Amino acid sequence: MLSMIRTLWYVLLHMFHKRVTVQYPEEKPYLAPRYRGRIILSLDPDGGERCVACYLCAAACPVDCIALQATEDATGRRYPEFFRINFSRCIFCGFCEEACPTYAIQLTPDFEMSEYQRPNLVYEKKDLLINGPGKYPGYNFWRVSGVQIGGKDKGEAEHEGRPVDLHSLLP
Amino acid sequence: MATVYVDNRAYEMDGEQNLLQGCLQLGMDLPYFCWHPAMGSVGACRQCAVKQFKDEKDQHGRIVMACMTPAAEGTRISIRDPEAVEFRKAIIEGLMINHPHDCPVCDEGGECHLQDMTVMTGHNYRRYTFEKRTFRNQYLGPFLNHEMNRCIQCYRCVRFYREYAGGNDFNAFALRNIVFFGRDRDGVLENEFAGNLVEVCPTGVFTDATLKRHYTRKWDLRMAPSICVHCGLGCNITAAERYGMLRRLVNRYHGEVNGYFLCDRGRFGYEFVNSERRIRQPLLEGKAVSKEDALTRLRELASGSVIGIGSPRASLESNFALRSLVGENRFYAGISGAESRLWKLMLAILRDGPARTPSLRETEACDAVFILGEDVTNISPRMALSLRQSVRRQPMEIVEQLHIPEWMDHAVREAVQEKKGPLFIASVSATRLDDIAAHTYRAAPDDLARLGFAVAHALNSDAPEPAGLPESVRALAGKIAGALKAAKHPLIVSGPSLAGAAIIQAAANIAWALPGTKLAFTAPEANSTGLAMMEAPAFDAAQADAADTVIILENDLARRFPASEMEQFLARFRHVVVLEYLENATTAKAELVLPAATFAEAAGSLVNNEGRVQRFFPALAPSPPVQESWRWLGSWNEFDDLAAALASAMPQLAAVTQAAPSASFRMTGAKVPREPHRYSGRTAMLANISVHEPKPPADPNSPLAFSMEGSPDQPPGALQPFFWTPGWNSIQAVNKFQEEIAGALRQGDPGVRILEGGGSNPGFFDVIPAAFEPRADEWLLVPLYHIFGSEELSRYAPAVSQLAPHAYVALNPRDAEKFGDEVELLGQRVPLTKVAEIPPGVAGVPAGVPPFAGFGFPMWSKIARLP
Amino acid sequence: MTSPYPIVAIIGILVVALTLAAGLIWVERRLLALWQDRYGPNRVGPFGLLQVLADMIKIFFKEDWIPPFADKVVFIVAPAVIVVTVLMSFAVLPIAPGIIISDLNVGLLFVLGMSSLGVYSVVLAGWSSDNKYALLGGLRAAAQMMSYEVFMGLALMGVVLLAGSFNLTEIVAAQRHVWFVVPQFLGFILFLIAGVAETRRLPFDLPEAESELIAGFHSEYSGMKFGMFFVGEYLGVILISCLITILFFGGWLGPVLPPVVWFLIKMMFFICFFILLRAALPRPRFDQLMSWGWKVMLPLALANLLVTGAVALAWRS
């Protein structure tokens, strides 16, 4: 009984506490750089599309709101033919970013994406691509990966030796 | 059975087998790379290391390779031993030293055995900081993509390609840590089974180049059990769809038919389904009309005087639906009279004769083979791969004497060396099996038949003897007969490819002359056998049938008639209705064209060359107005009703209802999901069209669901949409779906055999053709088959058509001397090729290749010299 | 001492009570927010006052859906019952001298009777919904009312004894010297607790416990029928606050300010106290609630009556 009265008293005292509510449209909250908001696709430091259409983001997505189709340019560089995120389904869990092996897909501190029409929440590649590397400035998947693309021959990736000469008989 | 102790628990294993196979069969997870159930063990990768102990007191043990150690009685091993675990991890680490950092762009990713094994052993961090060795890739043709950097040197590819499939333009090159697997220079891989490297390679060195053009991960594919339609062997395949497009085919293990391997035509011919020539709208006099209008018109026409022409590439159900629509007496099989007579003959031989027709697995177990008239590799290719294994049977006696277990592949091959079992080939021209043949014989079709009759006579003097046989041929016949007689499981292979009843009769005579001989016929089209079993008259008989309307089912008459005759035939009817998937010469002449569903969009049953009824299921959801032919033609709502009607109307095909479980089949109350549980993008795939996700398409015709929801249990083999078990994402997961490794699937291999033979000898055939006489100014045109090009549907697949030949005429070099580089044949200008194997007086023409596709070969014709 | 203009009084009290009930929605949300360090509705109109209007518009336009499996007539009648019974009670409340609709001589009994009738609303709503959660809610409500009404009445008998009348006006008048809260402190506490239980407010909202009964007896209600329950609950809060004011805190009595203002101030204080209870206290288990009612409160109420009676008797004699 006494504890209940004490509870009442303490709750009453909250009248004089500072309110924690942020008056959002007038007052912008602080969003950490790793806040999980609107999803973007980034470019690598050389200005190429980072996404290699590996489908890992789509597989990781718990609400299956990412759909894409892989294709290749003439030099063998793989990229998504289309890349679609249905933000009316997205739960901003960030699994896609964690799954992404190339840092292409990233979540940004932007959550102001309300729409009056649901179709407007379906973002295509042109809506997702930004003109920069986003949170991870240095990384370029193609410099590490051992496949050949335009401008990078076999053996030119990091930690790679020159292609071997098969006709050499030297031990 | 032997008792083997694994981690101190007793298990029963097959004592004839190795420990790796034994462990895998018991469901244990033991990583491996170089072992393959069809190719045995060589111990090259050192991945399946386990610790073996002398007895229960032995505390130290020693590391052995499970794949190289027999599962002998009382063997004690430990998989979980820390040293063995560490060893396996170290092996993977070593293999991964040079592996490129490219899983995201590797087509194998997600179904990669190397990925699975790396996860299984727990290796996850690359400590090696020096440079990776790199290779340059090769162009290997339109089917395969080469990415040598990914190689882990397990040698499976070269073992399959050279030793199993008999190719010789592919090898392991160089030495030490720079072993390279490829050709000596860029070029198309010659072997017809090279496509299997996609599945044989444990990682992404060889990947499907056709898939690469519309790449999709395995987990994103909607898959269904299907049957290959590119020849009559009925190989089981998994058809896979994404975004409404057929993306690829992979092998679907069947213990009796295709086993682990497919031919390249079957694997890469699927792209005709996505062809731009697909008919997707009903066409009335060339204009697209609605489905309702098309159906109204069809009903109008069908109510009049109408005949139907079936097809050897349409399912039993579609043929039956047409037969029901037009009436039993006015339904004609869609093959020429000559072909129809052959099929009637072959069917009678298989059904009523004493010889059993073998499945491909039985073919592999045969130890003496006589191929009479067929170029098996180019007609029913997968059978050639089985025949290639059969020549290994007889030398296995040496292996047995040396007490080498058969799975110990390298030792077996060392012991056998180049010794081969007897395989005789009698054919018109060179075949792709000549390299393993003990003897080849080239002659005109009639002479081939005479050799056959001579062999039969040599085996059994009751069989008639051809008169006036040259001594050399008589000696050859004696040699063949001797080899067959000496064998435990002799086999005769023949078929309808040379359109010679005499050849087939000769083959039957041999099989009947030597009791216990098996008799296999090739089948050129997916449902050739099934159509023959419907016992409809050939459409030559339709010439006499006065009708207003003809309904042609999935059949291009331009491949059955020369162009002028086809025109005459069709001109006899006021209305021509065609059900077809691809635009062709027949649809161009039709008043009403109805878009029919291909094998990838329809359910149906096919009968393969051994008389096995098998069911295929759609991988693509229906896309109206395209629908199954039987749906256009009949009023059956459900497949099972149709199958039941078919079974009751034709008792010889009653087994069609047992080919697969009916649509009401459920496992723990649920359907079988076509999509893996990781299937992605459901809420985004169609979001650009509508954000409201549509319901997954219903499939009332089968126990399979067009979604990822359903029972997680293993369905019966006939319903198995894909092979996957936890930790085994690659096709190697099939180990967990078999009763015993490389044996039957759990719950039995799919399909029902309906041609068992076993009758009594109805008496030998005694009409022996006269010996072939070359003519002075005419040549006997015989069809030369091409794996890529002779079959109709695969010609529309871009990758296959790239390898398809253009029309030519092949002559013996001596005959060819009279002509220049080009000649005129049947009113066409064609290049002339000199082929030494072609007998004089005979001219080879590519079968199924325009403009000669419709002619009934063999036939006599003049070859005109061009000025 | 009935009002000379009964119609005016009826309309006046009706308007004030209903407006207050609606306004309480806003007050409650703001106060709860205040005690939870939030703002509450502050966007619609000045201080968010028009939120009430917005909510009303919303609730009027909501689909008024009767489940096909429900007992239709009872389902419709149930929410009306609660509003009617509570409003009837207001008829006998003396707000200030002259502001009373009917100065009944058994006013207190009338109020108790009406509140007993009110429970039918909840029970019938729970029963007619034909939904197991609603039925459980209704059952709980019935049990709770039975238990708590017993000592609610008994707790008030002390006041009646002291005032010597059931007439509420006279009870107020009897407090001219000392508010009954002083001699009847135990009675006040008992009545306060019973009052909370009677209005099914937290911590005694077991009939509609969201977490276990998904809104209990009004699970199936939507639109304005749900609104009736909502308004009924707030009217109940006002009624109990008024009764506490009248019975224990001298009603309109007070210096300087006009009587109505005194009455309203006292009443508002108790309304706020009700909201504070909701903000601060957790919900007990149902068996705890029942054993409390029967094993603690009832004996206390009896003892209080006994002692008060004895004292009163001794005083007079």
Side-chain angles (χ1 to χ4, degrees):
Chain A
M1 192 71 190
L2 205 67
S3 76
M4 282 188 208
I5 292 165
R6 203 170 57 211
T7 308
L8 287 173
W9 177 244
Y10 283 150
V11 170
L12 197 67
L13 286 184
H14 271 268
M15 266 202 279
F16 311 106
H17 285 211
K18 193 175 171 293
R19 316 236 172 141
V20 294
T21 314
V22 178
Q23 293 293 302
Y24 160 61
E26 297 88 22
E27 202 184 318
K28 302 284 183 195
Y30 168 72
L31 296 179
R34 290 198 290 180
Y35 184 88
R36 299 195 308 258
R38 180 168 58 89
I39 300 172
I40 55 104
L41 288 174
S42 59
L43 303 183
D44 62 30
D46 305 334
E49 206 177 314
R50 247 181 186 160
C51 177
V52 299
C54 70
Y55 295 98
L56 286 179
C57 50
C61 182
V63 289
D64 286 348
C65 74
I66 304 178
L68 66 151
Q69 174 58 52
T71 189
E72 276 185 7
D73 69 8
T75 65
R77 183 179 171 127
R78 196 166 278 204
Y79 65 96
E81 188 180 335
F82 71 82
F83 195 106
R84 186 180 305 131
I85 300 182
N86 180 355
F87 278 108
S88 72
R89 290 287 186 195
C90 181
I91 57 169
F92 302 97
C93 63
F95 282 11
C96 50
E97 182 173 359
E98 280 187 43
C100 184
T102 67
Y103 292 140
I105 195 164
Q106 296 175 14
L107 279 78
T108 60
D110 171 18
F111 57 87
E112 293 170 317
M113 42 193 311
S114 310
E115 295 281 354
Y116 284 101
Q117 301 288 322
R118 269 184 75 191
N120 295 344
L121 284 165
V122 178
Y123 281 37
E124 297 288 342
K125 195 165 88 172
K126 64 175 172 16
D127 310 314
L128 295 165
L129 266 180
I130 61 160
N131 189 16
K135 285 181 267 185
Y136 309 98
Y139 187 71
N140 183 344
F141 169 78
W142 299 104
R143 279 189 212 147
V144 184
S145 159
V147 287
Q148 182 179 347
I149 56 160
K152 193 202 78 176
D153 198 6
K154 281 273 171 221
E156 289 180 0
E158 283 169 24
H159 295 300
E160 277 195 344
R162 308 291 312 151
V164 295
D165 175 13
L166 293 172
H167 299 286
S168 163
L169 287 175
L170 291 175
Chain B
M1 280 305 191
T3 308
V4 174
Y5 298 87
V6 182
D7 288 314
N8 289 322
R9 271 191 61 186
Y11 294 94
E12 290 296 308
M13 287 187 193
D14 180 359
E16 302 289 301
Q17 277 303 340
N18 56 63
L19 286 171
L20 173 62
Q21 181 162 340
C23 290
L24 291 172
Q25 186 152 321
L26 290 165
M28 299 171 192
D29 285 343
L30 184 56
Y32 65 87
F33 289 113
C34 66
W35 173 81
H36 188 287
M39 294 189 286
S41 328
V42 288
C45 70
R46 319 312 281 172
Q47 188 57 62
C48 60
V50 293
K51 205 164 219 187
Q52 185 175 13
F53 300 96
K54 271 199 308 234
D55 48 46
E56 63 264 47
K57 288 191 208 86
D58 183 1
Q59 294 297 312
H60 300 288
R62 61 199 174 96
I63 284 187
V64 296
M65 296 307 128
C67 73
M68 299 300 284
T69 311
E73 176 67 37
T75 308
R76 294 186 157 267
I77 55 166
S78 171
I79 296 176
R80 286 195 305 237
D81 182 88
E83 207 182 335
V85 168
E86 201 48 48
F87 185 91
R88 295 197 295 263
K89 196 170 166 182
I91 290 291
I92 282 267
E93 186 169 13
L95 293 175
M96 297 294 275
I97 278 177
N98 290 311
H99 201 69
H101 183 87
D102 70 346
C103 290
V105 292
C106 174
D107 289 356
E108 194 84 356
E111 52 177 327
C112 177
H113 190 58
L114 179 59
Q115 277 179 345
D116 289 349
M117 297 300 105
T118 309
V119 172
M120 195 179 284
T121 53
H123 169 70
N124 54 19
Y125 188 79
R126 184 171 187 265
R127 292 184 292 169
Y128 183 81
T129 52
F130 300 97
E131 286 188 334
K132 292 175 184 175
R133 166 221 62 204
T134 60
F135 291 107
R136 292 211 175 274
N137 300 326
Q138 288 179 328
Y139 170 76
L140 296 178
F143 299 146
L144 289 182
N145 190 56
H146 194 214
E147 187 60 55
M148 215 11 239
N149 282 358
R150 297 171 185 150
C151 182
I152 57 164
Q153 280 79 30
C154 72
Y155 283 76
R156 258 188 180 190
C157 53
V158 73
R159 286 173 61 218
F160 171 78
Y161 196 91
R162 296 186 72 86
E163 293 168 3
Y164 196 89
N168 55 14
D169 60 327
F170 178 95
N171 215 335
F173 297 100
L175 69 173
R176 55 180 168 85
N177 71 332
I178 56 166
V179 181
F180 180 88
F181 296 91
R183 288 166 53 87
D184 60 343
R185 69 199 65 182
D186 283 16
V188 181
L189 282 172
E190 286 165 10
N191 197 276
E192 297 80 5
F193 306 96
N196 291 305
L197 293 181
V198 173
E199 287 173 30
V200 165
C201 178
T203 179
V205 179
F206 303 99
T207 50
D208 185 335
T210 63
L211 171 67
K212 196 182 175 72
R213 283 202 297 273
H214 40 239
Y215 183 65
T216 307
R217 296 257 180 238
K218 180 183 180 184
W219 67 66
D220 278 343
L221 292 167
R222 178 188 276 167
M223 292 171 271
S226 193
I227 306 292
C228 180
V229 293
H230 300 294
C231 84
L233 295 183
C235 293
N236 285 212
I237 50 170
T238 296
E241 176 262 14
R242 178 83 181 176
Y243 298 126
M245 178 188 187
L246 188 61
R247 293 294 166 120
R248 70 153 178 198
L249 299 184
V250 287
N251 182 60
R252 178 163 63 95
Y253 180 87
H254 187 297
E256 285 296 321
V257 184
N258 47 313
Y260 291 90
F261 305 113
L262 290 179
C263 71
D264 288 1
R265 179 161 86 196
R267 188 183 294 271
F268 302 110
Y270 71 91
E271 279 186 293
F272 79 90
V273 175
N274 307 326
S275 166
E276 283 173 8
R277 302 170 68 118
R278 272 305 292 281
I279 301 163
R280 307 229 179 238
Q281 283 287 329
L283 299 170
L284 186 58
E285 273 149 8
K287 280 186 275 304
V289 293
S290 73
K291 183 179 161 185
E292 287 69 33
D293 293 349
L295 273 175
T296 314
R297 184 73 185 135
L298 177 67
R299 271 188 221 110
E300 270 168 36
L301 295 175
S303 61
S305 163
V306 57
I307 66 162
I309 292 178
S311 166
R313 64 169 153 93
S315 65
L316 286 178
E317 287 80 6
S318 294
N319 276 310
F320 174 71
L322 179 60
R323 180 179 180 266
S324 307
L325 182 73
V326 300
E328 193 179 336
N329 302 323
R330 309 197 86 179
F331 172 73
Y332 299 93
I335 48 178
S336 69
E339 207 183 337
S340 173
R341 281 188 292 281
L342 287 181
W343 274 105
K344 208 166 275 178
L345 176 65
M346 288 193 290
L347 202 57
I349 290 169
L350 293 184
R351 192 178 47 212
D352 309 326
R356 176 187 160 86
T357 181
S359 66
L360 292 184
R361 173 181 284 271
E362 291 168 56
T363 307
E364 282 172 22
C366 291
D367 53 358
V369 182
F370 179 31
I371 302 172
L372 187 58
E374 294 301 278
D375 181 358
V376 183
T377 317
N378 285 314
I379 297 164
S380 291
R382 179 63 185 80
M383 188 189 274
L385 191 61
S386 294
L387 291 173
R388 205 170 266 285
Q389 309 319 309
S390 69
V391 298
R392 296 190 63 212
R393 287 327 311 164
Q394 221 166 66
M396 283 297 172
E397 283 167 17
I398 311 168
V399 174
E400 219 166 286
Q401 279 160 17
L402 293 171
H403 300 294
I404 301 172
E406 223 175 279
W407 46 262
M408 202 170 271
D409 196 55
H410 195 66
V412 167
R413 293 196 190 264
E414 283 292 323
V416 169
Q417 293 292 333
E418 288 301 300
K419 293 186 200 68
K420 291 188 179 68
L423 174 90
F424 300 95
I425 301 174
S427 63
V428 179
S429 181
T431 73
R432 299 281 289 151
L433 287 174
D434 290 353
D435 59 316
I436 52 165
H439 203 285
T440 57
Y441 173 69
R442 316 267 180 237
D446 283 349
D447 286 345
L448 298 178
R450 286 166 65 81
L451 172 67
F453 281 110
V455 174
H457 178 75
L459 286 166
N460 186 332
S461 51
D462 291 348
E465 183 183 16
L469 215 54
E471 193 46 48
S472 62
V473 179
R474 197 189 300 272
L476 176 61
K479 189 175 161 194
I480 295 171
L484 292 175
K485 216 174 224 167
K488 288 196 199 89
H489 304 287
L491 169 69
I492 312 298
V493 178
S494 187
S497 73
L498 293 174
I503 292 180
I504 290 163
Q505 288 167 341
N509 270 12
I510 305 171
W512 295 347
L514 183 64
T517 306
K518 296 198 174 78
L519 177 60
F521 290 125
T522 61
E525 290 178 84
N527 203 15
S528 291
T529 316
L531 184 70
M533 293 186 80
M534 292 182 78
E535 291 167 355
F539 67 2
D540 297 23
Q543 311 259 22
D545 196 338
D548 282 345
T549 306
V550 58
I551 302 178
I552 301 168
L553 172 71
E554 302 176 27
N555 204 339
D556 183 7
L557 297 190
R559 293 178 64 88
R560 315 276 170 202
F561 285 128
S564 57
E565 281 179 47
M566 173 181 126
E567 214 137 300
Q568 268 174 25
F569 177 77
L570 292 180
R572 296 182 51 252
F573 302 97
R574 296 216 337 253
H575 311 287
V576 177
V577 181
V578 179
L579 293 98
E580 189 53 284
Y581 358 104
L582 297 160
E583 287 165 17
N584 57 32
T586 311
T587 60
K589 297 261 184 279
E591 175 187 328
L592 177 64
V593 180
L594 300 172
T598 63
F599 77 98
E601 295 138 352
S605 309
L606 302 172
V607 185
N608 79 350
N609 73 319
E610 52 155 333
R612 184 183 294 272
V613 192
Q614 299 187 105
R615 184 79 51 82
F616 57 91
F617 293 98
L620 274 69
S623 54
V626 178
Q627 58 179 356
E628 295 101 325
S629 296
W630 53 263
R631 229 182 258 281
W632 282 114
L633 295 170
S635 53
W636 293 280
N637 277 326
E638 303 218 350
F639 182 87
D640 287 335
D641 300 343
L642 172 61
L646 165 62
S648 66
M650 283 184 279
Q652 72 272 31
L653 290 168
V656 74
T657 51
Q658 280 116 53
S662 72
S664 59
F665 174 85
R666 295 288 182 277
M667 289 187 305
T668 52
K671 285 190 147 198
V672 181
R674 280 183 174 87
E675 295 167 1
H677 69 291
R678 286 190 195 128
Y679 192 81
S680 80
R682 281 175 306 129
T683 64
M685 299 170 73
L686 300 169
N688 54 331
I689 301 162
S690 163
V691 281
H692 307 283
E693 289 99 40
K695 227 172 92 175
D699 186 1
N701 294 306
S702 79
L704 294 141
F706 280 115
S707 75
M708 58 202 284
E709 283 138 32
S711 173
D713 299 344
Q714 283 189 10
L719 297 178
Q720 187 68 54
F722 51 88
F723 294 113
W724 180 90
T725 52
W728 297 78
N729 299 298
S730 74
I731 193 88
Q732 320 274 340
V734 73
N735 289 338
K736 309 245 174 186
F737 290 79
Q738 294 160 331
E739 202 70 61
E740 59 182 280
I741 297 219
L745 287 172
R746 294 215 178 116
Q747 306 180 48
D749 281 323
V752 188
R753 261 181 74 115
I754 50 176
L755 286 178
E756 285 299 348
S760 58
N761 184 349
F764 291 107
F765 295 101
D766 51 7
V767 183
I768 301 175
F772 175 74
E773 291 291 338
R775 297 185 190 171
D777 52 349
E778 278 192 322
W779 272 262
L780 181 68
L781 303 184
V782 294
L784 296 183
Y785 288 83
H786 291 271
I787 177 170
F788 308 121
S790 293
E791 194 271 331
E792 180 184 355
L793 296 173
S794 61
R795 285 183 64 87
Y796 296 104
V800 170
S801 70
Q802 236 175 299
L803 299 182
H806 295 287
Y808 65 86
V809 58
L811 282 180
N812 186 290
R814 263 194 303 166
D815 290 353
E817 276 167 18
K818 298 183 209 162
F819 303 103
D821 289 344
E822 279 199 324
V823 293
E824 192 185 312
L825 175 67
L826 301 166
Q828 304 284 341
R829 241 176 117 103
V830 283
L832 177 73
T833 323
K834 292 169 191 163
V835 179
E837 286 88 351
I838 296 233
V842 174
V845 182
V849 174
F852 302 132
F855 289 95
F857 300 120
M859 61 187 263
W860 289 95
S861 172
K862 287 193 168 56
I863 296 178
R865 193 184 161 143
L866 283 170
Chain C
M1 222 183 119
T2 310
S3 165
Y5 309 106
I7 299 296
V8 177
I10 289 172
I11 293 174
I13 287 179
L14 203 63
V15 167
V16 172
L18 286 176
T19 317
L20 213 58
L24 271 187
I25 301 172
W26 176 82
V27 171
E28 172 151 38
R29 290 179 64 188
R30 290 291 293 203
L31 281 178
L32 282 177
L34 182 66
W35 288 321
Q36 291 168 356
D37 300 344
R38 298 184 285 115
Y39 282 103
N42 65 347
R43 290 277 162 190
V44 193
F47 304 107
L49 265 171
L50 295 184
Q51 184 72 44
V52 176
L53 200 68
D55 285 347
M56 261 164 67
I57 292 171
K58 184 192 78 172
I59 213 160
F60 272 116
F61 283 94
K62 274 204 165 181
E63 187 188 358
D64 195 359
W65 191 70
I66 299 172
F69 46 80
D71 187 330
K72 209 170 163 190
V73 177
V74 183
F75 190 83
I76 295 169
V77 166
V81 170
I82 191 160
V83 177
V84 169
T85 54
V86 177
L87 282 176
M88 291 288 275
S89 303
F90 277 95
V92 297
L93 296 187
I95 310 300
I99 307 182
I100 182 167
I101 296 164
S102 167
D103 194 6
L104 216 58
N105 58 355
V106 289
L108 189 56
L109 288 182
F110 181 78
V111 171
L112 289 176
M114 277 301 144
S115 82
S116 309
L117 271 182
V119 73
Y120 280 99
S121 161
V122 176
V123 175
L124 290 178
W127 177 77
S128 68
S129 295
D130 203 4
N131 163 328
K132 53 180 169 279
Y133 295 112
L135 185 64
L136 279 172
L139 278 174
R140 281 186 176 192
Q144 187 174 324
M145 294 302 136
M146 286 266 286
S147 322
Y148 278 67
E149 223 154 58
V150 174
F151 70 81
M152 184 180 183
L154 288 173
L156 292 181
M157 287 310 114
V159 173
V160 175
L161 272 176
L162 291 182
S165 168
F166 281 111
N167 184 306
L168 292 170
T169 317
E170 282 172 27
I171 290 175
V172 173
Q175 298 179 65
R176 195 154 293 133
H177 304 295
V178 60
W179 292 351
F180 283 154
V181 68
V182 179
Q184 277 299 315
F185 187 72
L186 186 61
F188 161 65
I189 297 294
L190 291 173
F191 181 72
L192 186 69
I193 292 171
V196 177
E198 192 66 18
T199 49
R200 297 174 303 280
R201 295 272 307 170
L202 258 153
F204 295 132
D205 68 339
L206 286 108
E208 51 184 285
E210 296 88 347
S211 48
E212 47 198 273
L213 292 185
I214 49 164
F217 62 87
H218 63 68
S219 281
E220 300 289 352
Y221 281 88
S222 60
M224 204 44 221
K225 290 203 191 66
F226 167 75
M228 299 273 259
F229 280 118
F230 212 65
V231 169
E233 181 180 324
Y234 282 107
L235 284 173
V237 172
I238 296 169
L239 177 69
I240 298 293
S241 301
C242 290
L243 279 174
I244 294 173
T245 308
I246 290 164
L247 297 172
F248 294 100
F249 287 84
W252 65 81
L253 299 172
V256 187
L257 295 171
V260 180
V261 177
W262 270 117
F263 187 88
L264 287 178
I265 287 172
K266 292 175 187 172
M267 184 192 76
M268 277 313 290
F269 175 81
F270 285 105
I271 289 174
C272 293
F273 183 72
F274 267 68
I275 295 168
L276 179 61
L277 282 180
R278 174 173 174 185
L281 296 181
R283 184 188 297 141
R285 264 194 346 251
F286 194 67
D287 62 313
Q288 290 171 330
L289 179 88
M290 296 305 282
S291 60
W292 244 75
W294 289 105
K295 294 182 188 163
V296 181
M297 305 309 264
L298 183 64
L300 276 179
L302 286 171
N304 181 44
L305 182 60
L306 218 61
V307 172
T308 312
V311 170
L313 217 58
W315 199 261
R316 287 203 190 145
S317 57

